[in-house]
Amino acid sequence: MKISLYIIFNLFFFLNYPLKVKSIRNKIRYSSYLSENKFLEEESYEINSKFYNNIIELDSDYIITKISWIRRENYKYNYLLGVFEGANDPNFKDVIPIGIIKEKENEDLINYLKINTNNSYKYIRYIPPNKNSSDISPIKVYGYKIPETKKYSKERKYFHATNLPLISVYTENSTDIFEKSIEINCKILIVNEEGKLETNETAKIKVKDETRAYLSPKFPYSITFSSNQKVLGFKGEYRNWELISNYFDRSLLRNLIALKISELMKFEYTVRCKPIDIIINGNFKGNYYICDPIEVGYNRINISKKYENNLNDPNNIGGYLLEIDAEYYNGKKHFKSDKGIYSKIIYPKEDNITPEQENYIIEKFNKVEKEVYERNLDNIDLNTFSKQFLLKEFCGDLQHLYKNFYLTTNVNNEKFFFGPVWEFETAFDNDKILIPTNEKPSFCFDYYSSSGNMKDLITKLIRNKDLIEYIQNEWNYLCDTVLKESTLIDFIEEKRQYLKESAELNFLKWDNFAEEYDPYGFNWGTRDYLFGRKGENFDVSVDVIKDYIKKRFESLSYLINNANSLAN
């Protein structure tokens, strides 16, 4: 009799529960992690839903706890990195990722994807990793309903694919991003490491304006928000940001390490960047960095800007930012110096600079260039030049003088200052022209072409006895104080652990690394050095960097302390 009453009571309870229950055995227990770091048990049941194409429509909005699915026949492992998205608008105007398939599941049985978010959704859709195929069939959705009075009493927690922040980009009409010159309207959502939605803003996005952008299938991007945004704890609010792909760096660490060294060496400004994961239009793109662009601004390259009066007067521009760049033809105002060095004027910007200002900086560059050839270094800032030279040589930056060589000057100071440093994806023994860097009998810049005659200019510089002595003193000071092997190795190990989960997903996506990629018919040939070190996984590549650094202190010390023989 007691058993019968128990069964009747439970049937009455389930039939009156807000969710429509199809089977008692579908009941599960779900734990959602709350902001106050406590676990709260919630009842979770199969939700009544409609399926059409890859879209699931629920009978109301629910907090989703898991989705069951089964692989379709003949689609072996094609589902890996497939993304589930949630929305409350039937046209998915408020779409946001809610889950990703990370592992090879049970092929013959029903699989379950746990959804770790406490936001409620009425519509769910599945985006396959290959947009031309639908490789799985969603079967059931599980979740629970929260009473309206309690709906927003908890801190909202959003999905992120790994322990890193997640940036989701949704372009207008789901347009693919292929062009450098065409900006596409989009919405960008940024979820931080704690699962908090920090940014939900409109923006424009395009492929980053550099030649190497098209040498890999994993494009770097430039984004411009509609208004200034504070991003992931960076100081200051800015519209412009860059998303760096690190496709040729299997460690995903080389730029981070170089920028850490820049901080240790106390460069006036170090580019700020953070590792993130990116999803674009529901397609998981892997590990990226979100970074400052190389631009003038407070908390960026802080040089003086224009005064408000007579804009045609070149003396009313506080400062100039130049880049020595063999690829000078990629946008920006550019010029060829009297000695044949190609440079771009980054600031003042191309749409603001006047002919008078342009002539002023070209004449000034030619004047200082001529002085260097005459062994006069009065207008070269030895401190910033030495730091930049030492950092690039320590990191083994083959393209030291080819591009990404930045310098600044002000109208009230005749000197040129050097920095910041940027772009080390092929450094630290990641370029076959230099490998093994530590066995080379000369400085790195000797082994690669430069922007025009920039190599000849630098050779003139480092043959100056006073500059050699300055570089030697600076190097020995750094080694005695801040630039320690143990500091760098500890930093690398810390970042290895931090990036490990993201790296696993990144190389699920880009497992064809180092295969020849030439979709635009550039006919690059075999140029293997562009593709980093073939056959390495994440951990092996990190170990390569550690081994390089341990040897680099000795090999670079030898070159620097014997550089007196270069003086003439």
Side-chain angles (χ1 to χ4, degrees):
M1 182 65 178
K2 290 181 179 179
I3 295 175
S4 298
L5 289 172
Y6 178 81
I7 293 173
I8 291 170
F9 173 81
N10 277 280
L11 285 172
F12 176 82
F13 174 82
F14 289 134
L15 290 172
N16 284 276
Y17 197 80
L19 294 178
K20 298 184 179 180
V21 181
K22 290 187 177 180
S23 170
I24 295 177
R25 61 187 175 87
N26 284 329
K27 176 181 176 183
I28 63 170
R29 302 291 289 174
Y30 172 69
S31 297
S32 60
Y33 190 67
L34 300 184
S35 58
E36 55 269 15
N37 296 330
K38 296 179 181 178
F39 284 90
L40 176 66
E41 295 289 338
E42 298 281 4
E43 299 287 355
S44 179
Y45 298 94
E46 180 188 339
I47 301 172
N48 189 43
S49 53
K50 299 176 183 178
F51 295 77
Y52 47 95
N53 296 325
N54 285 335
I55 295 176
I56 308 168
E57 180 181 352
L58 310 179
D59 60 7
S60 183
D61 60 316
Y62 295 94
I63 291 182
I64 312 303
T65 59
K66 70 176 182 177
I67 299 171
S68 66
W69 58 273
I70 190 166
R71 178 179 60 84
R72 289 182 177 174
E73 191 174 359
N74 300 325
Y75 283 91
K76 188 175 183 180
Y77 305 147
N78 287 2
Y79 53 79
L80 286 172
L81 304 181
V83 173
F84 283 92
E85 300 175 323
N88 288 301
D89 180 271
N91 296 314
F92 285 83
K93 291 181 179 180
D94 58 345
V95 65
I96 192 168
I98 61 172
I100 186 170
I101 300 175
K102 298 181 181 181
E103 300 174 351
K104 297 176 181 179
E105 303 291 342
N106 190 325
E107 297 179 34
D108 301 316
L109 301 177
I110 295 174
N111 302 289
Y112 294 90
L113 176 67
K114 186 176 180 181
I115 306 299
N116 292 311
T117 173
N118 63 2
N119 295 285
S120 57
Y121 303 101
K122 179 174 170 52
Y123 300 94
I124 299 168
R125 70 181 178 191
Y126 171 70
I127 307 295
N130 181 350
K131 65 181 181 180
N132 296 319
S133 66
S134 183
D135 41 25
I136 70 170
S137 294
I139 299 175
K140 296 175 182 177
V141 178
Y142 300 83
Y144 58 92
K145 188 82 171 171
I146 294 183
E148 290 294 330
T149 55
K150 297 183 179 180
K151 201 168 222 182
Y152 303 111
S153 61
K154 305 171 188 175
E155 181 180 348
R156 294 192 176 193
K157 306 293 284 187
Y158 290 82
F159 163 78
H160 47 114
T162 69
N163 57 305
L164 302 188
L166 174 67
I167 292 185
S168 300
V169 179
Y170 291 95
T171 61
E172 194 172 59
N173 301 319
S174 298
T175 305
D176 289 331
I177 310 164
F178 284 122
E179 300 293 338
K180 298 178 184 179
S181 58
I182 300 176
E183 292 184 317
I184 298 172
N185 294 327
C186 65
K187 178 178 73 171
I188 294 179
L189 304 100
I190 303 179
V191 175
N192 67 17
E193 295 161 304
E194 289 75 40
K196 181 180 178 181
L197 182 64
E198 284 195 358
T199 303
N200 182 358
E201 295 292 338
T202 58
K204 294 181 183 294
I205 187 169
K206 67 174 185 175
V207 175
K208 189 174 183 291
D209 190 14
E210 61 178 37
T211 299
R212 196 163 63 180
Y214 288 145
L215 294 183
S216 83
K218 188 184 181 189
F219 296 158
Y221 301 102
S222 297
I223 57 176
T224 302
F225 285 105
S226 300
S227 60
N228 289 342
Q229 298 296 315
K230 187 176 180 65
V231 171
L232 294 173
F234 288 129
K235 289 184 179 179
E237 297 182 354
Y238 297 95
R239 294 181 64 203
N240 299 322
W241 300 86
E242 291 188 349
L243 303 173
I244 306 302
S245 66
N246 294 313
Y247 179 79
F248 302 110
D249 177 11
R250 298 288 280 184
S251 76
L252 306 175
L253 271 174
R254 284 176 164 86
N255 274 312
L256 280 182
I257 297 167
L259 295 176
K260 176 64 175 179
I261 295 170
S262 174
E263 290 180 352
L264 292 172
M265 293 176 67
K266 293 182 170 53
F267 274 66
E268 183 175 343
Y269 164 70
T270 296
V271 173
R272 303 169 301 172
C273 70
K274 285 190 177 181
I276 54 165
D277 298 313
I278 290 185
I279 293 176
I280 297 181
N281 294 329
N283 190 292
F284 182 76
K285 294 293 186 180
N287 179 279
Y288 277 69
Y289 295 166
I290 184 166
C291 306
D292 291 327
I294 300 296
E295 72 173 16
V296 173
Y298 189 69
N299 291 317
R300 289 184 172 171
I301 301 174
N302 192 16
I303 60 175
S304 301
K305 296 186 177 183
K306 297 176 183 177
Y307 299 114
E308 292 299 323
N309 54 355
N310 190 3
L311 296 179
N312 291 321
D313 182 353
N315 292 318
N316 283 340
I317 176 81
Y320 292 83
L321 170 62
L322 305 180
E323 178 187 3
I324 307 299
D325 185 1
E327 300 168 3
Y328 61 92
Y329 43 82
N330 281 339
K332 313 288 185 188
K333 281 283 186 179
H334 57 268
F335 64 92
K336 181 180 178 180
S337 73
D338 289 344
K339 299 295 184 181
I341 296 173
Y342 298 104
S343 302
K344 292 193 299 192
I345 304 172
I346 298 178
Y347 187 86
K349 294 181 179 180
E350 185 172 17
D351 54 355
N352 290 328
I353 191 170
T354 65
E356 291 82 4
Q357 291 164 351
E358 185 176 355
N359 290 335
Y360 169 83
I361 189 58
I362 294 173
E363 290 175 5
K364 185 172 184 177
F365 188 94
N366 285 328
K367 173 179 175 292
V368 175
E369 179 185 64
K370 181 182 177 182
E371 292 173 353
V372 171
Y373 273 83
E374 294 172 350
R375 301 187 180 187
N376 177 1
L377 304 189
D378 288 348
N379 290 317
I380 296 293
D381 182 69
L382 300 186
N383 179 45
T384 55
F385 177 86
S386 298
K387 284 183 177 180
Q388 178 164 280
F389 179 83
L390 287 171
L391 186 147
K392 285 177 173 282
E393 287 294 331
F394 180 83
C395 297
D397 179 16
L398 181 69
Q399 299 187 40
H400 184 166
L401 307 178
Y402 184 78
K403 61 181 301 184
N404 296 310
F405 188 104
Y406 298 100
L407 56 161
T408 60
T409 187
N410 298 296
V411 294
N412 58 355
N413 190 332
E414 286 298 309
K415 286 190 176 185
F416 277 92
F417 300 82
F418 298 82
V421 293
W422 178 235
E423 186 55 76
F424 293 86
E425 195 173 346
T426 56
F428 300 99
D429 257 0
N430 198 36
D431 196 309
K432 290 191 176 181
I433 287 180
L434 271 180
I435 295 173
T437 308
N438 288 311
E439 295 180 14
K440 292 291 187 287
S442 185
F443 292 112
C444 295
F445 77 84
D446 271 344
Y447 295 92
Y448 195 66
S449 60
S450 66
S451 176
N453 291 324
M454 185 64 177
K455 184 187 294 188
D456 186 50
L457 179 72
I458 297 301
T459 302
K460 298 285 186 186
L461 274 170
I462 64 170
R463 286 180 176 174
N464 182 286
K465 183 178 179 180
D466 293 337
L467 180 57
I468 290 174
E469 184 177 345
Y470 198 103
I471 290 174
Q472 290 172 335
N473 291 336
E474 181 70 16
W475 172 248
N476 292 326
Y477 168 77
L478 290 170
C479 291
D480 289 342
T481 54
V482 295
L483 198 58
K484 300 288 187 179
E485 177 185 317
S486 59
T487 302
L488 297 180
I489 297 303
D490 288 347
F491 176 80
I492 290 169
E493 283 302 325
E494 175 191 338
K495 296 305 178 184
R496 186 209 295 260
Q497 297 307 315
Y498 181 61
L499 290 176
K500 202 172 190 67
E501 185 181 356
S502 180
E504 290 177 3
L505 292 192
N506 184 77
F507 296 120
L508 275 179
K509 174 71 175 180
W510 305 110
D511 61 351
N512 62 338
F513 171 81
E515 293 180 4
E516 295 296 340
Y517 180 77
D518 189 17
Y520 298 93
F522 290 147
N523 296 317
W524 293 114
T526 57
R527 298 180 72 178
D528 288 343
Y529 63 87
L530 285 174
F531 295 93
R533 303 171 66 100
K534 293 185 179 181
E536 288 183 357
N537 62 29
F538 170 70
D539 281 316
V540 170
S541 187
V542 175
D543 289 338
V544 164
I545 299 173
K546 289 174 61 178
D547 183 62
Y548 168 90
I549 286 175
K550 291 174 181 177
K551 295 175 180 177
R552 192 57 178 160
F553 280 95
E554 181 180 352
S555 64
L556 186 56
S557 292
Y558 176 83
L559 292 174
I560 290 170
N561 292 321
N562 287 279
N564 289 323
S565 61
L566 298 175
N568 57 30

